[in-house]
Amino acid sequence: MKIGLWFRCKLLIKNLIKNKLTFVLTLMGVCLAEIILTSGYIIADSYYYSQFDRYRYFKENGIMDIKLNENSLKYKEDIKKVFKGECYISFRNYYNTSLAYPVTVNNINTNIVLNLYQTNQNFNGQIITSQEHVVMSELLSGRGITTDDIDWKSKVIIIDSVINKILFQEDGIGKNIRIPIYGSHTDENNNTEISVSRYEIFKVIGVYKNTQQDSINFNKQIKEGQTLYYNARCYIPESVDFLEDSKSEPEQMEYVYFGVPDTAEKHDEIKSICQSGAEFDCYTYETFHNQMIQELSGIKKTLNCITLLIMGIAVILIAQTMIFSIKENISDYGIKKAIGASSGKIGMELVSEMLLYALAAFIVSILLSIVAALITLKYISLQNPGIGYSLILKRQTILLSFVLAIETCLIASILPILYLDNKSVVDIMKFE
């Protein structure tokens, strides 16, 4: 029995590669849709699962990042009542200024912009602001903002590691930094010009670690020899107010709560508090997760549509190739029919051949898809330094790829089977 089975498989493989052109064309037809679907799924899963890891700290620390604008700020006290016992850090973009003169870094003129954020006594450098939402960091040296700093309105400042390196050669703790305050002046010709009107002196009490992306971008610009514009986020006590014309009410505030047990429930409560028109942004692990799942689902739906279209074209081409192959070997099928082989048995032989095509296409497609995914992910990582992408090959992707190969080959075998079934021994002899 084993010898008979092995002989059958050997004979099938021999017939399969008898016509090399037919073999290659059929295999390519099956592989095309396979590779597009499989590599697309691998790349999408790998990319988005790396994004999930990037936001895992939101989940692990129970973080809620809430941004209120001038319309929703009136609800800030009601929102605070939603959180019972959870600590929070507040951020307000208080004043943006630039150093009066550029600093030379590796013989490159570097213009430094200081974005001053007021914050409360819970700020210790572990959670910092970014362009969209807060990110995790750490305090490299010094200390954070304390209650005494708030009460005494101490002019102290926490700077990032890049500023510490540029201005203080990585030894800024305890030293002063002069913050230029710009004002408009009118000269004797009634021309208005902006210039430094005075300086505010702040003492550096802490240095926090830049995000990896910020450090990479900064070093990249230095290597390229460009004139550098560096935006630094610095943090001062929320009670310090040195602007004469500062507004009593801020235009925007950011509250970061951490240790929240159920962020989704709190998010719903905040929604119910803020009435229509009072817009706010709230970032939690759930919001990131749901957004990325929707994007991933949309990408996969698009891949499925493209795959179905290519699969339809592949089925037609494979069917035509198989019919052409049958015509080339029509005498063999005529002999089989003449000695008593039924149409069903001959049809099963064709199906067996197509299943072998499916198995070969599946193996080739998986290997090529992995290679294509690795190359693509490598390219994406080069475009986004500091972000690592691990290859994610899910069982569902492998199963879907296998099912697609089987379906493509089985559907493609229908027309050749029907074509051969309609041919009698007499018709075959006449054709021959």
Side-chain angles (χ1 to χ4, degrees):
M1 183 69 183
K2 288 183 178 179
I3 296 173
L5 184 61
W6 168 247
F7 180 75
R8 268 187 180 183
C9 292
K10 194 174 179 181
L11 189 62
L12 272 174
I13 295 170
K14 186 178 179 181
N15 290 334
L16 205 66
I17 60 177
K18 184 177 179 180
N19 189 322
K20 291 181 173 58
L21 181 61
T22 303
F23 175 75
V24 171
L25 289 175
T26 306
L27 198 63
M28 285 177 61
V30 183
C31 285
L32 184 60
E34 282 273 293
I35 292 172
I36 290 174
L37 181 74
T38 309
S39 62
Y41 267 52
I42 294 173
I43 293 167
D45 286 331
S46 301
Y47 177 81
Y48 279 97
Y49 275 83
S50 69
Q51 300 302 308
F52 291 151
D53 283 336
R54 284 183 65 194
Y55 299 116
R56 195 173 298 278
Y57 65 90
F58 268 83
K59 183 178 182 180
E60 292 173 348
N61 297 282
I63 293 175
M64 288 191 73
D65 184 3
I66 305 166
K67 291 184 177 182
L68 304 178
N69 60 23
E70 55 187 351
N71 293 324
S72 54
L73 267 172
K74 56 187 175 183
Y75 301 110
K76 66 179 181 180
E77 295 302 324
D78 295 325
I79 291 172
K80 286 180 181 179
K81 293 177 183 177
V82 172
F83 300 91
K84 300 174 183 178
E86 289 90 359
C87 292
Y88 73 90
I89 304 173
S90 62
F91 295 107
R92 176 195 176 190
N93 189 195
Y94 176 67
Y95 184 66
N96 300 326
T97 185
S98 59
L99 297 187
Y101 302 99
V103 178
T104 303
V105 180
N106 293 353
N107 298 320
I108 299 172
N109 286 334
T110 305
N111 299 287
I112 296 177
V113 178
L114 301 177
N115 302 284
L116 301 183
Y117 284 82
Q118 290 178 324
T119 185
N120 64 358
Q121 68 277 4
N122 293 321
F123 181 78
N124 58 7
Q126 292 186 355
I127 297 177
I128 59 174
T129 58
S130 69
Q131 189 171 357
E132 293 182 5
H133 51 78
V134 293
V135 296
M136 297 298 290
S137 181
E138 62 177 299
L139 203 64
L140 297 176
S141 58
R143 62 175 179 84
I145 304 294
T146 64
T147 305
D148 289 340
D149 294 327
I150 304 293
D151 294 339
W152 298 341
K153 299 181 180 181
S154 304
K155 288 189 176 181
V156 293
I157 190 169
I158 298 175
I159 61 176
D160 66 28
S161 53
V162 171
I163 292 297
N164 187 41
K165 182 178 181 179
I166 293 174
L167 299 183
F168 304 107
Q169 291 74 50
E170 300 184 356
D171 186 28
I173 299 298
K175 296 181 180 177
N176 293 331
I177 182 171
R178 302 173 73 215
I179 306 294
I181 309 301
Y182 288 83
S184 58
H185 306 277
T186 305
D187 60 18
E188 55 186 13
N189 297 321
N190 289 326
N191 295 320
T192 303
E193 61 178 18
I194 305 297
S195 60
V196 177
S197 59
R198 70 181 196 279
Y199 288 91
E200 292 288 337
I201 309 298
F202 280 77
K203 181 181 179 181
V204 178
I205 60 168
V207 177
Y208 70 88
K209 184 179 180 180
N210 283 84
T211 62
Q212 190 175 7
Q213 187 67 50
D214 286 342
S215 298
I216 289 171
N217 291 339
F218 177 73
N219 293 328
K220 182 181 177 182
Q221 290 184 67
I222 289 178
K223 287 180 180 178
E224 291 174 353
Q226 301 175 354
T227 299
L228 183 63
Y229 291 88
Y230 180 70
N231 280 276
R233 288 180 169 84
C234 304
Y235 300 91
I236 62 176
E238 61 183 358
S239 57
V240 173
D241 185 5
F242 54 79
L243 298 179
E244 297 172 356
D245 58 346
S246 63
K247 296 180 180 179
S248 58
E249 285 295 328
E251 294 182 359
Q252 188 181 55
M253 286 289 296
E254 185 172 7
Y255 296 95
V256 183
Y257 288 86
F258 45 95
V260 181
D262 190 347
T263 54
E265 182 182 336
K266 301 293 186 186
H267 192 186
D268 292 336
E269 289 185 47
I270 295 171
K271 279 184 181 178
S272 64
I273 291 173
C274 292
Q275 299 174 5
S276 59
E279 297 179 358
F280 71 96
D281 294 318
C282 184
Y283 299 98
T284 65
Y285 180 77
E286 287 78 15
T287 58
F288 293 123
H289 183 271
N290 294 337
Q291 180 185 349
M292 287 185 286
I293 286 293
Q294 288 179 358
E295 291 177 2
L296 184 59
S297 176
I299 289 172
K300 288 188 174 181
K301 284 179 181 178
T302 304
L303 283 171
N304 291 340
C305 293
I306 295 172
T307 301
L308 285 174
L309 177 63
I310 296 174
M311 177 183 166
I313 298 170
V315 165
I316 296 171
L317 294 175
I318 293 167
Q320 288 180 340
T321 305
M322 290 300 294
I323 291 172
F324 177 75
S325 177
I326 289 171
K327 288 179 179 179
E328 279 190 329
N329 300 282
I330 195 70
S331 58
D332 294 341
Y333 293 107
I335 292 169
K336 289 178 183 179
K337 283 199 170 188
I339 61 175
S342 64
S343 298
K345 188 175 181 181
I346 295 173
M348 284 304 297
E349 285 184 7
L350 286 175
V351 169
S352 299
E353 286 185 19
M354 293 306 293
L355 289 176
L356 281 177
Y357 274 120
L359 182 60
F362 167 71
I363 295 171
V364 171
S365 299
I366 288 291
L367 294 175
L368 292 179
S369 297
I370 291 173
V371 172
L374 286 171
I375 293 171
T376 305
L377 292 172
K378 181 65 176 178
Y379 174 77
I380 294 174
S381 65
L382 290 174
Q383 301 302 312
N384 300 276
I387 302 175
Y389 297 95
S390 300
L391 187 75
I392 303 294
L393 180 56
K394 300 172 71 175
R395 291 180 182 177
Q396 295 93 321
T397 302
I398 297 174
L399 181 61
L400 184 62
S401 178
F402 182 72
V403 170
L404 179 65
I406 298 293
E407 282 184 350
T408 304
C409 290
L410 289 180
I411 294 171
S413 65
I414 294 174
L415 283 178
I417 290 172
L418 292 175
Y419 172 80
L420 196 57
D421 187 51
N422 290 327
K423 295 288 183 182
S424 65
V425 177
V426 176
D427 292 333
I428 290 172
M429 296 305 294
K430 283 181 181 180
F431 183 87
E432 187 67 21

